[in-house]
Amino acid sequence: MRVGVLALQGDFAEHLATLARLNVEATEVRKVGDLAQVDALIIPGGESTTIGKLMARYGLDEAIRARAAQGMPIYGTCAGMILLAKHIEGSEQPRLGLMDITVRRNAFGRQIESFEADLLFRPTPERAVRGVFIRAPIVSQVGDEVDTLSELEGKIVAVQQGKLLATAFHPELTDDTRVHQYFLSLISGTL
Amino acid sequence: MLRGGVIMDVVNAEQARIAEEAGAVAVMALERVPADIRREGGVARMSDPRMIEEIMHAVTIPVMAKCRIGHFAEAMILEALGVDFIDESEVLTPADEEHHVNKHAFKTPFVCGARDLGEALRRIGEGAAMIRTKGEAGTGNIVEAVRHMRAIMKDIRRIHSAPEDELMAIAKQLQAPYDLVVEVHQTGRLPVPNFSAGGIATPADAALMMWLGAEAVFVGSGIFKASDPERRARAIVDAVTHYRDPEVLAEISKGLGEAMPSLDVRKLAEEELMAVRGW
């Protein structure tokens, strides 16, 4: 099993470090050719507008959609969640549009509103996950096929639709690897 | 979350939109780019808040703005405006020659310039959330940014490999907070993201700084003082993402037109240098 981390911009290095801690083979994805080498993809935090534009510029948007249609698992954090969403409130920015969700960008305010909070992440209920939120989005609406995995003060911050997983927070910035392990469990089911 | 990105100086909403369209990860809102500040002289201050707001409304990417070194009242105004980052910048005329802003007193994250590791750790000690090399802004000459990045990375490697019992002497020599020296010793990296600024004019310049250890780059005058800002902006964004891929760099570097007008740093008089402002 080899996991790709989209490395156009953002905190891809932290995801690679988390995967290394879990002894998973991981590689950076910057071009269409890199995508053929991986069984799953993580889309990191960063600037969703920037990452979306670069994906389109390099043809990675079409390539990722094609792999997703074949069942490749994808996990998006923060900007990655925005890029996975079908609908982005008030924005026409480029996106993958693979998950039947509506997201609200910067839902907790601009950079000044970055914070941390303990969350119940339903697949790992034994103890709380520390959620790091940085200019984070929320999910304002979900379609019928989408499961809500975590909420913060009534706002949806983690969702799953089949093999697609998205969190508004950044588990890769903490020492807790359980969210990544949950994502890996989705991959092993497909191999 | 700016890492692997390009932050571009813009002086109006139209330039901000061009920067966003090219794939900039953030924009720096200011009234004059460093090349113009250099040419026109006089006291360079924080920009008009109305102009900063217009830029904040024009784009969805983060907006930074500059305050003068030590001018905490300007910083308070920028925080009240809701800018995403404050750059306490040597490009503006310093307001305090002894003290930098106490950045712990702010919620808005700060980026600060540094020429070496001691200066970087002093700024982090004051609460800076990001460091950038100072380089020599407005020159289109990469030599100072390279000098500063090499100095920072060299001292990081030295501290990382030094025995623990030498760390206090190193802290004394660098005039840096001891705890931060210990942190660099343990992690082998700067405690905050390490960016590059000051003289980047081409995609190759941006790639060079990424190779030398920058996690993102600032381009000041280099884009909107060039003959074809749209193409150059896009090419520099591509260069930061693909800096390790010479074939991509060769392709995106073709036919970009004239780079910004440049200056030989060695011919600048001492009082014209910006990097020596602050300590």
Side-chain angles (χ1 to χ4, degrees):
Chain A
M1 173 167 77
R2 187 191 282 171
V3 178
V5 181
L6 191 69
L8 300 178
Q9 188 271 319
D11 70 338
F12 51 87
E14 281 73 10
H15 279 289
L16 290 166
T18 302
L19 292 168
R21 278 209 298 280
L22 292 167
N23 293 315
V24 173
E25 195 184 346
T27 185
E28 295 178 3
V29 172
R30 292 171 197 259
K31 297 201 264 191
V32 169
D34 301 334
L35 196 64
Q37 317 296 319
V38 303
D39 303 303
L41 183 69
I42 293 178
I43 305 177
E47 274 307 310
S48 61
T49 328
T50 304
I51 299 173
K53 283 180 194 301
L54 294 181
M55 270 197 306
R57 195 180 294 173
Y58 307 142
L60 276 162
D61 53 350
E62 284 305 320
I64 293 170
R65 281 189 206 109
R67 287 294 306 276
Q70 295 162 8
M72 177 179 73
I74 305 177
Y75 171 32
T77 57
C78 194
M81 171 188 259
I82 296 169
L83 290 161
L84 284 170
K86 203 164 268 173
H87 307 286
I88 305 170
E89 289 183 13
S91 173
E92 299 301 313
Q93 68 188 86
R95 70 201 69 174
L96 295 167
L98 293 168
M99 294 183 81
D100 189 12
I101 56 175
T102 302
V103 298
R104 183 177 306 154
R105 288 187 59 180
N106 301 333
F108 299 98
R110 297 180 76 106
Q111 194 79 33
I112 194 165
E113 304 297 338
S114 300
F115 62 96
E116 296 184 18
D118 284 328
L119 302 168
L120 172 68
F121 182 66
R122 293 203 175 112
T124 62
E126 67 285 358
R127 66 191 154 82
V129 163
R130 189 75 180 158
V132 178
F133 293 84
I134 306 171
R135 275 171 69 95
I138 59 161
V139 178
S140 53
Q141 285 180 58
V142 294
D144 295 340
E145 309 285 298
V146 178
D147 294 321
T148 297
L149 300 185
S150 187
E151 289 168 83
L152 175 65
E153 294 162 6
K155 299 178 174 113
I156 301 171
V157 293
V159 286
Q160 181 180 347
Q161 180 179 351
K163 300 282 182 190
L164 306 175
L165 177 67
T167 63
F169 51 94
H170 294 272
E172 75 283 5
L173 299 180
T174 69
D175 293 331
D176 190 341
T177 55
R178 286 176 296 157
V179 178
H180 284 79
Q181 283 171 297
Y182 179 65
F183 178 58
L184 296 175
S185 78
L186 300 180
I187 308 169
S188 48
T190 66
L191 291 181
Chain B
M1 293 305 121
L2 303 174
R3 277 188 286 181
V6 181
I7 301 125
M8 301 182 190
D9 278 8
V10 297
V11 299
N12 55 43
E14 189 203 340
Q15 288 187 354
R17 279 188 285 266
I18 290 171
E20 182 174 51
E21 193 51 43
V25 76
V27 291
M28 177 77 70
L30 73 180
E31 277 165 357
R32 294 182 289 171
V33 296
D36 289 334
I37 291 174
R38 232 173 235 299
R39 209 183 58 240
E40 292 164 17
V43 174
R45 309 180 179 92
M46 177 186 80
S47 299
D48 182 343
R50 175 169 299 162
M51 169 266 182
I52 295 170
E53 272 183 349
E54 283 168 9
I55 287 171
M56 287 168 66
H57 290 138
V59 294
T60 65
I61 54 178
V63 175
M64 303 186 178
K66 290 180 192 287
C67 74
R68 285 179 261 176
I69 289 174
H71 205 316
F72 57 86
E74 284 187 347
M76 289 162 75
I77 290 169
L78 294 174
E79 179 162 271
L81 286 175
V83 302
D84 298 288
F85 299 89
I86 299 171
D87 183 3
E88 186 183 17
S89 178
E90 70 283 358
V91 166
L92 304 183
T93 311
D96 191 326
E97 296 189 332
E98 192 172 0
H99 302 289
H100 286 251
V101 172
N102 173 21
K103 293 162 274 287
H104 291 298
F106 292 81
K107 277 193 198 162
T108 309
F110 275 72
V111 58
C112 287
R115 282 163 295 173
D116 53 44
L117 185 60
E119 191 172 5
L121 295 181
R122 287 190 292 277
R123 295 292 85 74
I124 296 166
E126 293 161 355
M130 287 179 285
I131 291 296
R132 53 171 177 75
T133 59
K134 285 180 170 173
E136 191 56 43
T139 61
N141 190 334
I142 198 68
V143 66
E144 294 302 309
V146 168
R147 190 192 318 281
H148 300 160
M149 187 58 78
R150 284 212 183 263
I152 289 171
M153 300 310 283
K154 183 177 167 188
D155 270 336
I156 289 175
R157 288 191 293 270
R158 177 167 73 106
I159 293 175
H160 189 45
S161 60
E164 209 175 320
D165 52 6
E166 293 181 6
L167 297 181
M168 185 59 85
I170 290 174
K172 180 186 172 207
Q173 181 222 344
L174 295 180
Q175 300 180 43
Y178 174 72
D179 293 350
L180 294 176
V181 171
V182 171
E183 191 175 337
V184 171
H185 172 68
Q186 286 165 348
T187 62
R189 52 182 303 162
L190 209 61
V192 303
N194 182 15
F195 297 169
S196 184
I200 293 160
T202 68
D205 289 346
L208 176 65
M209 296 317 300
M210 294 298 287
W211 274 112
L212 290 177
E215 295 174 86
V217 302
F218 287 75
V219 187
S221 320
I223 288 168
F224 290 99
K225 288 287 168 189
S227 63
D228 186 345
E230 282 95 340
R231 283 196 63 196
R232 188 163 293 262
R234 209 176 128 131
I236 291 177
V237 169
D238 288 343
V240 168
T241 295
H242 297 290
Y243 71 95
R244 283 181 294 201
D245 192 333
E247 284 169 17
V248 172
L249 294 176
E251 199 53 43
I252 61 179
S253 299
K254 289 176 186 167
L256 293 180
E258 285 292 312
M260 65 177 284
S262 55
L263 291 170
D264 185 341
V265 179
R266 286 169 301 184
K267 291 189 178 139
L268 293 176
E270 179 69 20
E271 64 272 17
E272 294 176 287
L273 296 175
M274 291 174 171
V276 299
R277 296 166 167 181
W279 50 276

